[in-house]
C-alpha cells in the first residue's frame, strides 16, 4: 500500500459521516463561552473562521433607516452607536459548525432574525411573522420534504421544524435533493438539519433519524407541543395512511406535494374532524393491508392517491417501467423544488390563518407555459389512437352491416320449417360460441327454411386479426353449436360453408331435416351439447398440474374429428417458459403499436354498466387482473403513455401478464388446419369448439391467447401490411423462435393458441347480445 493510500484510509476513518447537526454557540461577553471559544480556536487546526460582523451591522442599521440613503460615514457612526462600546469581536455570537469546521461570527438571535426576515416584510407582515414564529411543523420524508423544509426555513414561516426520515443520502437522490456530495451516506435528517442550521442557526429543529412508525407517530405529532401542520412526503403508503389517521385524531392539518403536475394536496383535519382520509380516494384502506408491499405492488394505490386521470403522461409512462428499467418512480429536481416552494407557500398561509380549504390544487407549469398550444390538458385521458388511419385490410370497419338475403343459394325442398321457439333455441346456442375479444361477428338470417350465417366484418376485423380470419373461426364455432343443438332437437343438419361464389360475407347456410338425407352432419360429437352453456374463457392464474394422457387424447380426438384439423401440445417446463416469453412479447408489440392498441382498447368494457349496456367486448373484470395489473391497464388506456414507453425502448412490464398466465399451465395448445382459406378457418372454428367443449367436460379451463398466430398471419400472408416497420422486424424474430415449438409452415392456418389449466372458477363470464340484435327472420 502506497503512502497516499494509507493517508486516505486514515482520513476516511477520521472523517466518517457523523451525527452532528446542532451548531454550538459562543457569546464572548460570557466568560465561560469566551474560554470555550479560545480552546476551540487553539485546538482545531482545521477550523475556518468567517467574520463579517461589520457588514452585518452595516446592513442592520441601513434597514432601520429605510427612508434615507446613508453615506458610509453615517453608517460607520450608527454602527459605533449601536455597539455602545462593545468590541466587535465580542459582539453577537460565534457559531461553530462542527461537521464543516467552520466558525461564523453572526448577529445574535433577535437581530439576526430581524435582518434575515427584513425582505419578507409586507409579503409577510410583522404580526404574521410573529405568529409564524410560534408554529410547529413536521416534515416526514426528506427527498421532496427537504425542499419544503429548506424553503420554510428561508422564509422562517415556522418557529420549529420536526423532520423525519430513516434513510441515508445516496447519489441517486441527488437529482432532486440540493446538497453537496460530501453528505453522501449521511442520514437525510442530519444532512437537512445541517442545511437549515447553516441558513439559520437559531431555528429550532428536532430530528427523527428512524423516521416515524406506528409506535413513534404520536411522539412526533405531540411531544414538545402539538404540531400545527404535517407535511407528508414519505414513500411508505402505510405511513401515509397512518399519518392521516393520527393527524385527524389530533385535529392537525396535512399537506402533501406529489411532484407531478404541481399537485398540492390539502386535508384540513383541524377544521373537519370527520374528513375522509385522502379525500376518500382509498376508501377505508388500512395501513396494515399495504405494509411491506413492493414498489410495483404500490402502483395501484399510488394511482388512486395521485389520481389516474390527472397524472401527467410522463409519470404514467414511468409507472410502467418501475422495477423494469427504473427501480422506482422518477422525480425531477425542477418539480421537487417547484413543489417544495408551492408546499411551503401553502403551509405558510395555513399557519398564518388564511382561508385554505381542503382540496387538490394544480400548479402545472407544462400546462401554464405553452400548454395552450398542445390543445389538451396533459392529465386528461386521450382517446386511444385518435385520428389513426385505418389499417390496411380493414377499410370497411365501422360501416353499418345489412345482411343480404339468401337469394341465389340453392335450397333443399325437404328442409323443415323451424317455428320461432325452435329457431331461437338453435341461434341461442350459436351465439354462445366464443369470438375474439367477444366481438360476436355474426348476423343470422332465416329465410325460406334456410338459416344463413353472415360475417359482420365491421365487428371482427382489426389489425390483430388479418382479413377477418379470426371472425370466421368464431362463425365456425357458432355453426358447430347450432349443429349440436339441432341434434338435441332431433333434427339433421346440412352445413354449406361459403355457398355463394365470391361472397365472403355469407359464411354458411344451415338446413334442417326430420328425415335422413345425404350430406348431413354426423352424430359422433353429440355428447358435447350439454357443455355449450358451461363453456367460457377462464383467465385466472392457475395452479400447475399435469395434463393426463387420456385428457390429451380426448382433446386430440375432438379436434381431429374435423378433417384436416390437428392439435399440438406444449407441456415441458422449458417449452412453456419459451411460449410464455413469446406471448408476452406479442402483448408488448400489440400495446406499443398505435393501431393495434386502438383495436384492443375498443374491445374493453371498463365498467359493469358499460358491459351490460353493450353486451359485447371484454369486461375488465373478466380479465382476472391483480390490482397492480389492473392499474397497468388503466395506465395503458392512453396511447400517449405507450408512445413514450416505446420511444424509451421500454415496455417489458407489458409482458408480465402473459408470463404469469403460462406459469401455472398444464399445457399450451395450438389448433391448425393445413391451408389458410376461409373455409379452412371456418372448419377450424368447428374443431376449436369441439376441443373447448371437451375441455369443459373434463374440468379443464381454457384461455385463448390468439395475438401471436394472428399477428403472424398478417406478417406472412399480408407481408406485414399495416404494421410499423419495427413491429415487423420484432415479429419476424418471434416467428423464428415460435416455429421451433410448433410444427407449422407459412401455409398453415393457425386457428387458435390457448392455455389449458386447472383454475378456480372465473369471476365473470362474457355477455352476449340479445337475439333480436343478431337474428333477422324474413
Amino acid at each position: 500500500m502506497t503512502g497516499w493510500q494509507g493517508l486516505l484510509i486514515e482520513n476516511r476513518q477520521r472523517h466518517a459521516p457523523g451525527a452532528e447537526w446542532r451548531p454550538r454557540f459562543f457569546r464572548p461577553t460570557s466568560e465561560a463561552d469566551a474560554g470555550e471559544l479560545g480552546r476551540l480556536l487553539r485546538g482545531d487546526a482545521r477550523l475556518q473562521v468567517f467574520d463579517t460582523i461589520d457588514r452585518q451591522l452595516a446592513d442592520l442599521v441601513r434597514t432601520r433607516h429605510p427612508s434615507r440613503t446613508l453615506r458610509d460615514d453615517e453608517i460607520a457612526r450608527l454602527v459605533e452607536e449601536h455597539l455602545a462600546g462593545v468590541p466587535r469581536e465580542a459582539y453577537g455570537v460565534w457559531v461553530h459548525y462542527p461537521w464543516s469546521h467552520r466558525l461564523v461570527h453572526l448577529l445574535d438571535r433577535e437581530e439576526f432574525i430581524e435582518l434575515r426576515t427584513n425582505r419578507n416584510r409586507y409579503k409577510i407582515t410583522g404580526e404574521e411573522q410573529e405568529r409564524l414564529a410560534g408554529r410547529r411543523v413536521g416534515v416526514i420524508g426528506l427527498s421532496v420534504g427537504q425542499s419544503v423544509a429548506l424553503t420554510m426555513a428561508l422564509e422562517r414561516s415556522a418557529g420549529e421544524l420536526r423532520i423525519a426520515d430513516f434513510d441515508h443520502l445516496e447519489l441517486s437522490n441527488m437529482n432532486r435533493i440540493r446538497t453537496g456530495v460530501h453528505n453522501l451516506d449521511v442520514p437525510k435528517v442530519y444532512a437537512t438539519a445541517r442545511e437549515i442550521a447553516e441558513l439559520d442557526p437559531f431555528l429550532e429543529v428536532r430530528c427523527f433519524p428512524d423516521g416515524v412508525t406506528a409506535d413513534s407517530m404520536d411522539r412526533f405529532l405531540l411531544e414538545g407541543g402539538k404540531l400545527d401542520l404535517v407535511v407528508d412526503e414519505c414513500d411508505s403508503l402505510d405511513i401515509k395512511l397512518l399519518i392521516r389517521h393520527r393527524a385527524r385524531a389530533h385535529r392537525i392539518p396535512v399537506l402533501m406535494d406529489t411532484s407531478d403536475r404541481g399537485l398540492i394536496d390539502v386535508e384540513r383535519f383541524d377544521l373537519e374532524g370527520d374528513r375522509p382520509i385522502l379525500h376518500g380516494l382509498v376508501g377505508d384502506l388500512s395501513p396494515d393491508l399495504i405494509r411491506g408491499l413492493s414498489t410495483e405492488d404500490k402502483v395501484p394505490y399510488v394511482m388512486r392517491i395521485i389520481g389516474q386521470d390527472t397524472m401527467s403522461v410522463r409519470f404514467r409512462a414511468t409507472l410502467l417501467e418501475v422495477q423494469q428499467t427504473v427501480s422506482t418512480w422518477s422525480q425531477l429536481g425542477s418539480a421537487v423544488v417547484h413543489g417544495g416552494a408551492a408546499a411551503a407557500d401553502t403551509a405558510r398561509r395555513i399557519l398564518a390563518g388564511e382561508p385554505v380549504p381542503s382540496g387538490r390544487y394544480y400548479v402545472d407549469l407544462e400546462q401554464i407555459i405553452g400548454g395552450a398550444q398542445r390543445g389538451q390538458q396533459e392529465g386528461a385521458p386521450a382517446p386511444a389512437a385518435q385520428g389513426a388511419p385505418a389499417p390496411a385490410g380493414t377499410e370497411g370497419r365501422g360501416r353499418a352491416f345489412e345482411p343480404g338475403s339468401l337469394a341465389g343459394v340453392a335450397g333443399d325442398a325437404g328442409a323443415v320449417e323451424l317455428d320461432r321457439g325452435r329457431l331461437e333455441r338453435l341461434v341461442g346456442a350459436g351465439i354462445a360460441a366464443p369470438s375474439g375479444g367477444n366481438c360476436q361477428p355474426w348476423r343470422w338470417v332465416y329465410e325460406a327454411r334456410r338459416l344463413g350465417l353472415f360475417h359482420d366484418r365491421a365487428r371482427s376485423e382489426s389489425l390483430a386479426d388479418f382479413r377477418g380470419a379470426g371472425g370466421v373461426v368464431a362463425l365456425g364455432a357458432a355453426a358447430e353449436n347450432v349443429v349440436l343443438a339441432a341434434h338435441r332437437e332431433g333434427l339433421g343438419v346440412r352445413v354449406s360453408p361459403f355457398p355463394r361464389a365470391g361472397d365472403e360475407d355469407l359464411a354458411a347456410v344451415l338446413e334442417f331435416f326430420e328425415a335422413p338425407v345425404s350430406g348431413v352432419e354426423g352424430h359422433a360429437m353429440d355428447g358435447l351439447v350439454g357443455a355449450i352453456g358451461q363453456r367460457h374463457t377462464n383467465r385466472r392464474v392457475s395452479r400447475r398440474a399435469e395434463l393426463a394422457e387420456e385428457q390429451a387424447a380426448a382433446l386430440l380426438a375432438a379436434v381431429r374429428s374435423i378433417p384436416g384439423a390437428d392439435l399440438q401440445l406444449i407441456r415441458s417446463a422449458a417449452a412453456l417458459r419459451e411460449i410464455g416469453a413469446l406471448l408476452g412479447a406479442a402483448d408488448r408489440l400489440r400495446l406499443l403499436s398505435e393501431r393495434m392498441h386502438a383495436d384492443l382498447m375498443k374491445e374493453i368494457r371498463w365498467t359493469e354498466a358499460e358491459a351490460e349496456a353493450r353486451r359485447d367486448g371484454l369486461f375488465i373484470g373478466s380479465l382476472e387482473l391483480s390490482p397492480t395489473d389492473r392499474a397497468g391497464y388503466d395506465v395503458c388506456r392512453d396511447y400517449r403513455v405507450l408512445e413514450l414507453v416505446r420511444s424509451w425502448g421500454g415496455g417489458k412490464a407489458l409482458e408480465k401478464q402473459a408470463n404469469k398466465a403460462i406459469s401455472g399451465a398444464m399445457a399450451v395448445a395450438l389448433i391448425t388446419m393445413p391451408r389458410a382459406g376461409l373455409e379452412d378457418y371456418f372448419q377450424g372454428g368447428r374443431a376449436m369448439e369441439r376441443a373447448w367443449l371437451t375441455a369443459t367436460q373434463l374440468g379443464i379451463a381454457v384461455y385463448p391467447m390468439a395475438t401471436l398466430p394472428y399477428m403472424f398471419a398478417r406478417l406472412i400472408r399480408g407481408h406485414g401490411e399495416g404494421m410499423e416497420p419495427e413491429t415487423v422486424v420484432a415479429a419476424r424474430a418471434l416467428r423464428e423462435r415460435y416455429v421451433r415449438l410448433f410444427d407449422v409452415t407459412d401455409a398453415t392456418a393457425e386457428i387458435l393458441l390457448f392455455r389449458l389449466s386447472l383454475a378456480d372458477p372465473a369471476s365473470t363470464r362474457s355477455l352476449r347480445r340479445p337475439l333480436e340484435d343478431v337474428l333477422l327472420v324474413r
Side-chain angles (χ1 to χ4, degrees):
M1 184 181 294
T2 60
W4 68 268
Q5 290 173 314
L7 289 171
L8 274 179
I9 292 171
E10 180 184 342
N11 274 271
R12 187 183 303 147
Q13 292 170 345
R14 184 187 308 151
H15 304 303
E20 306 106 328
W21 57 274
R22 293 185 188 276
R24 297 173 62 197
F25 297 92
F26 301 96
R27 292 176 174 85
T29 52
S30 160
E31 187 176 337
D33 279 9
E36 287 291 327
L37 181 58
R39 282 188 286 276
L40 175 66
L41 289 164
R42 289 189 297 272
D44 188 349
R46 293 171 295 164
L47 194 67
Q48 301 175 72
V49 178
F50 299 84
D51 186 358
T52 59
I53 197 67
D54 279 332
R55 286 184 175 273
Q56 295 171 53
L57 287 165
D59 197 7
L60 180 66
V61 299
R62 273 196 300 266
T63 60
R64 288 182 173 180
H65 297 81
S67 62
R68 295 171 54 193
T69 301
L70 299 175
R71 299 189 308 274
D72 289 347
D73 61 325
E74 289 179 299
I75 292 171
R77 177 179 57 77
L78 290 169
V79 166
E80 290 300 327
E81 290 175 1
H82 184 81
L83 287 170
V86 177
R88 281 169 167 73
E89 294 78 8
Y91 190 83
V93 61
W94 289 84
V95 183
H96 178 223
Y97 297 98
W99 53 88
S100 61
H101 301 279
R102 292 177 181 144
L103 181 66
V104 184
H105 193 183
L106 296 174
L107 297 174
D108 214 339
R109 178 184 174 84
E110 297 305 320
E111 292 177 348
F112 178 91
I113 293 172
E114 175 190 345
L115 189 54
R116 257 261 289 134
T117 60
N118 178 263
R119 300 292 178 92
N120 290 351
R121 290 183 70 178
Y122 303 132
K123 288 282 190 177
I124 304 174
T125 67
E127 183 183 45
E128 288 171 332
Q129 196 80 64
E130 185 176 348
R131 185 184 305 133
L132 293 171
R135 302 301 192 195
R136 303 179 182 93
V137 176
V139 181
I140 303 174
L142 293 173
S143 290
V144 176
Q146 188 238 24
S147 185
V148 180
L150 291 182
T151 307
M152 294 190 73
L154 281 172
E155 291 186 355
R156 235 181 189 277
S157 51
E160 178 190 332
L161 290 173
R162 296 177 200 167
I163 54 177
D165 198 309
F166 64 87
D167 211 354
H168 288 226
L169 188 71
E170 297 177 341
L171 189 55
S172 61
N173 299 142
M174 292 185 64
N175 75 318
R176 61 197 184 279
I177 296 180
R178 195 214 69 81
T179 192
V181 291
H182 59 279
N183 277 327
L184 287 171
D185 201 35
V186 173
K188 288 180 181 178
V189 285
Y190 297 149
T192 302
R194 290 173 180 179
E195 296 272 3
I196 293 171
E198 289 169 359
L199 286 171
D200 187 337
F202 302 105
L203 187 61
E204 185 178 351
V205 177
R206 292 180 59 195
C207 290
F208 288 73
D210 298 322
V212 290
T213 64
D215 293 334
S216 64
M217 182 67 71
D218 277 1
R219 184 165 67 88
F220 180 81
L221 297 175
L222 304 176
E223 189 176 85
K226 187 175 82 170
L227 291 178
D228 297 289
L229 176 69
V230 176
V231 178
D232 165 31
E233 300 300 343
C234 71
D235 293 331
S236 300
L237 294 184
D238 58 312
I239 298 299
K240 279 190 179 296
L241 294 174
L242 184 62
I243 289 167
R244 286 161 175 78
H245 281 290
R246 300 311 301 152
R248 183 171 64 180
H250 297 303
R251 306 296 293 264
I252 301 171
V254 176
L255 177 67
M256 177 177 69
D257 164 59
T258 65
S259 299
D260 184 62
R261 298 192 61 227
L263 170 59
I264 298 296
D265 192 282
V266 179
E267 294 170 274
R268 294 300 302 268
F269 298 126
D270 55 328
L271 305 178
E272 306 162 82
D274 57 353
R275 183 173 184 80
I277 299 296
L278 286 163
H279 315 289
L281 294 170
V282 295
D284 295 326
L285 187 63
S286 163
D288 295 334
L289 183 64
I290 57 175
R291 186 172 294 118
L293 289 181
S294 68
T295 300
E296 179 185 9
D297 289 336
K298 291 176 184 176
V299 167
Y301 299 105
V302 171
M303 290 177 63
R304 287 163 65 183
I305 290 170
I306 299 178
Q308 174 201 325
D309 292 339
T310 53
M311 290 179 188
S312 69
V313 171
R314 281 184 182 266
F315 187 77
R316 279 180 275 165
T318 300
L319 291 178
L320 292 178
E321 293 302 299
V322 169
Q323 295 189 337
Q324 300 298 319
T325 57
V326 292
S327 58
T328 186
W329 38 81
S330 304
Q331 292 175 301
L332 287 176
S334 56
V336 168
V337 172
H338 170 239
D345 180 87
T346 306
R348 183 192 71 248
R349 290 185 289 114
I350 290 172
L351 296 168
E354 293 186 27
V356 179
S358 298
R360 318 199 90 183
Y361 304 91
Y362 292 88
V363 190
D364 185 353
L365 295 181
E366 289 191 38
Q367 181 63 25
I368 295 168
I369 303 172
Q373 282 69 41
R374 292 204 296 275
Q376 184 174 30
Q377 184 181 5
E378 160 117 352
Q386 186 176 19
T394 66
E395 291 78 4
R397 293 185 68 195
R399 64 179 173 83
F401 180 73
E402 290 295 335
S405 73
L406 301 180
V409 178
D412 192 314
V416 299
E417 185 78 34
L418 300 177
D419 62 54
R420 187 75 187 204
R422 181 175 263 185
L423 175 63
E424 290 186 356
R425 287 195 298 275
L426 297 184
V427 175
I431 67 175
S435 56
N438 191 31
C439 66
Q440 304 172 52
W442 38 68
R443 289 297 295 269
W444 307 79
V445 176
Y446 187 64
E447 178 181 301
R449 293 175 295 173
R450 293 165 297 174
L451 181 60
L453 175 54
F454 286 85
H455 187 179
D456 186 349
R457 291 179 179 274
R459 299 189 66 85
S460 72
E461 284 188 337
S462 69
L463 195 67
D465 179 11
F466 181 60
R467 292 178 181 166
V472 174
V473 169
L475 299 178
E480 177 64 24
N481 280 1
V482 172
V483 169
L484 294 174
H487 287 175
R488 181 168 56 188
E489 297 269 345
L491 296 172
V493 188
R494 181 186 292 146
V495 180
S496 304
F498 297 96
R500 196 155 51 193
D503 186 355
E504 294 185 354
D505 284 346
L506 180 55
V509 169
L510 294 85
E511 296 174 285
F512 305 92
F513 303 89
E514 297 281 8
V517 294
S518 63
V520 297
E521 293 289 322
H523 293 265
M525 307 306 293
D526 286 359
L528 297 176
V529 68
I532 289 175
Q534 301 168 21
R535 185 218 58 80
H536 62 279
T537 295
N538 190 332
R539 299 178 179 85
R540 276 196 182 273
V541 175
S542 54
R543 57 191 184 278
R544 193 65 178 268
E546 295 295 326
L547 182 68
E549 291 303 323
E550 57 269 25
Q551 293 172 324
L555 293 167
L556 184 61
V559 170
R560 287 182 176 174
S561 64
I562 294 292
D566 204 358
L567 177 73
Q568 300 179 45
L569 291 169
I570 287 176
R571 288 191 269 183
S572 75
L576 288 171
R577 281 195 299 272
E578 175 67 353
I579 193 61
L582 295 177
L583 288 165
D587 285 349
R588 175 172 51 81
L589 292 178
R590 186 179 186 187
L591 282 163
L592 294 182
S593 161
E594 184 173 7
R595 290 171 174 174
M596 286 192 280
H597 172 271
D599 289 330
L600 177 60
M601 292 301 113
K602 289 173 185 173
E603 292 178 3
I604 296 176
R605 307 293 173 251
W606 297 95
T607 66
E608 288 189 60
E610 182 188 11
E612 182 62 42
R614 296 283 299 272
R615 301 190 71 82
D616 65 359
L618 302 176
F619 171 47
I620 190 72
S622 73
L623 302 186
E624 307 291 359
L625 302 171
S626 69
T628 301
D629 291 336
R630 170 61 200 267
Y633 260 79
D634 288 338
V635 168
C636 289
R637 292 180 70 174
D638 186 345
Y639 185 71
R640 295 173 301 168
V641 171
L642 294 167
E643 189 173 35
L644 277 175
V645 170
R646 178 176 168 179
S647 72
W648 299 337
K652 293 292 287 183
L654 305 175
E655 303 180 7
K656 295 176 70 173
Q657 191 180 352
N659 280 285
K660 192 188 301 183
I662 298 301
S663 64
M666 303 167 77
V668 169
L670 176 67
I671 296 172
T672 62
M673 293 291 287
R675 292 170 300 280
L678 286 179
E679 188 167 341
D680 298 285
Y681 277 103
F682 183 86
Q683 297 293 5
R686 297 191 64 183
M688 175 196 75
E689 185 69 346
R690 292 182 180 186
W692 201 326
L693 295 174
T694 300
T696 299
Q697 289 184 333
L698 294 171
I700 296 173
V702 174
Y703 175 9
M705 307 181 86
T707 298
L708 203 57
Y710 285 92
M711 183 186 295
F712 290 153
R714 181 170 291 277
L715 179 71
I716 296 163
R717 285 181 280 283
H719 308 291
E721 61 179 340
M723 298 165 68
E724 296 91 341
E726 60 267 36
T727 304
V728 170
V729 171
R732 283 181 181 147
L734 296 180
R735 180 70 176 178
E736 291 176 5
R737 295 164 60 185
Y738 179 85
V739 297
R740 299 188 196 114
L741 296 173
F742 296 106
D743 182 14
V744 293
T745 70
D746 287 356
T748 305
E750 297 165 34
I751 304 300
L752 186 68
L753 186 71
F754 55 100
R755 181 196 74 179
L756 297 169
S757 67
L758 291 181
D760 293 334
S763 298
T764 186
R765 295 174 59 172
S766 295
L767 301 175
R768 293 294 186 273
R769 292 186 294 151
L771 281 172
E772 56 266 27
D773 285 359
V774 298
L775 173 61
L776 176 64
V777 179
R778 293 186 185 275

